[in-house]
Amino acid sequence: MTALLDGKALAATMRAELAGKVTAFAARHGRAPALAVVLVGDDPASHVYVASKVKQTAEIGMRSVEHRLDASCTEAELLALVDALNADPAIDGLLVQLPLPPQINAASVLNRIDPAKDVDGFHPVNAGKLAIGEAGLVPCTPLGAVALAKLARADLAGLHAVVIGRSNIVGKPVAQLLLQENCTVTIAHSRTMDLPGLCRSADLLVAAIGRPNFVTAEFVKRGAIIIDVGINRVMSADGKARLVGDVDFAAAAPLASAITPVPGGVGPMTIAFLLSNTLRAASLRLG
Ligand code: GUN
């Protein structure tokens, strides 16, 4: 039997625990932790994600502040807003939703965020701390992916983990976290030779490619744990849009010992860890 790794349920459990900790924080410090979310432009998916982030922040009793800038805004305007939020003592966490419009250099913006408020964990200081195993703020989606893998098997030590995808946001930090869990980690990507053959040697397969249904049965070792980070919008035969992962679920699931669904797997975990990172940043800042 294949276990379904229910991210929706685990995220709900995490939020309930966080709500209690937020209450305790507010009692101690006289205010709730506060998250600032900056949204630039009109990317429809970004609007949906930001709305979820703001709603869930409020639901566990934290304060959220949303800043919207026009798609035509300049990099200087966005950097000025980041500077103001960095300097604001009432703000504990700060994220700038990606992607940004083409006139803005995303790296310049991410580098400007105070690492102590960087709840996305994208600042080079936090990426560097993760790489050397120091405590910092860790990216949310990788934390969610690893938490779900540990739901399947509490001790991941010694497993061969293959991560497909080498992005700074998912692939590389997931690999770092799995190394901390004592996995043997291989990072695969679009230039990897015999990708299906390599993946068939994985006890734990993490798909973070951004291509719908890319991972088919020929990628899967019998009994593997499969974590699907992909969220792809595709058109069904009936003309309706639906979300699918990077893994062909119907083909891969029967071979796996455990697998995440899409939707309802890694996606909800990302926001749960954003809330957790915000509380953590607030606690570290206020002591
Ligand atoms: N766009 C897609 N995923 C993310 C994320 O985790 N953080 C931010 N800031 N933007 C994103």
Side-chain angles (χ1 to χ4, degrees):
M1 271 303 287
T2 307
L4 199 62
L5 302 171
D6 187 344
K8 198 174 164 196
L10 183 56
T13 303
M14 280 182 67
R15 286 197 302 273
E17 282 175 18
L18 286 165
K21 291 180 180 171
V22 166
T23 304
F25 179 99
R28 181 155 173 216
H29 297 287
R31 69 163 178 83
L35 171 67
V37 181
V38 179
L39 177 57
V40 185
D42 336 290
D43 181 71
S46 290
H47 275 259
V48 173
Y49 291 138
V50 164
S52 288
K53 289 173 184 181
V54 167
K55 178 166 169 271
Q56 293 190 30
T57 307
E59 276 170 4
I60 65 156
M62 298 200 297
R63 191 167 78 92
S64 73
V65 188
E66 193 181 338
H67 291 268
R68 292 189 182 199
L69 296 179
D70 198 81
S72 64
C73 93
T74 64
E75 187 172 308
E77 282 166 337
L78 178 54
L79 290 176
L81 176 58
V82 169
D83 287 344
L85 293 167
N86 282 342
D88 185 343
I91 294 295
D92 302 297
L94 158 59
L95 74 86
V96 178
Q97 187 68 23
L98 304 176
L100 290 167
Q103 75 276 15
I104 297 176
N105 183 292
S108 306
V109 175
L110 298 180
N111 289 2
R112 193 74 157 242
I113 294 171
D114 178 351
K117 294 190 177 186
D118 172 35
V119 286
D120 263 331
F122 294 164
H123 191 284
V125 163
N126 283 319
K129 284 185 172 178
L130 179 61
I132 63 172
E134 260 187 36
L137 288 163
V138 177
C140 308
T141 300
L143 284 170
V146 173
L148 286 173
K150 293 183 77 164
L151 199 58
R153 184 181 164 117
D155 183 5
L156 302 175
L159 298 189
H160 182 210
V162 173
V163 179
I164 321 175
R166 53 176 155 178
S167 73
N168 293 333
I169 292 179
V170 182
K172 285 179 203 162
V174 163
Q176 303 283 6
L177 286 174
L178 291 173
L179 201 52
Q180 287 182 8
E181 295 292 331
N182 298 307
C183 290
T184 300
V185 182
T186 304
I187 303 178
H189 47 78
S190 54
R191 306 287 288 272
T192 297
M193 276 192 253
D194 185 20
L195 184 61
L198 173 72
C199 291
R200 273 199 309 276
S201 73
D203 307 303
L204 169 57
L205 185 59
V206 181
I209 314 141
R211 290 173 64 176
N213 300 322
F214 181 82
V215 172
T216 53
E218 62 164 344
F219 288 64
V220 181
K221 174 171 159 176
R222 191 168 288 278
I225 299 166
I226 303 179
I227 306 296
D228 188 352
V229 181
I231 301 179
N232 309 288
R233 192 170 294 273
V234 298
M235 279 296 171
S236 300
D238 61 6
K240 287 197 184 126
R242 67 194 173 97
L243 294 181
V244 301
D246 291 348
V247 177
D248 180 342
F249 187 92
L255 294 166
S257 61
I259 186 167
T260 59
V262 177
V266 176
M269 296 297 292
T270 294
I271 303 189
F273 275 104
L274 172 66
L275 305 176
S276 157
N277 275 353
T278 303
L279 177 63
R280 185 147 172 270
S283 303
L284 290 171
R285 287 184 62 251
L286 300 194

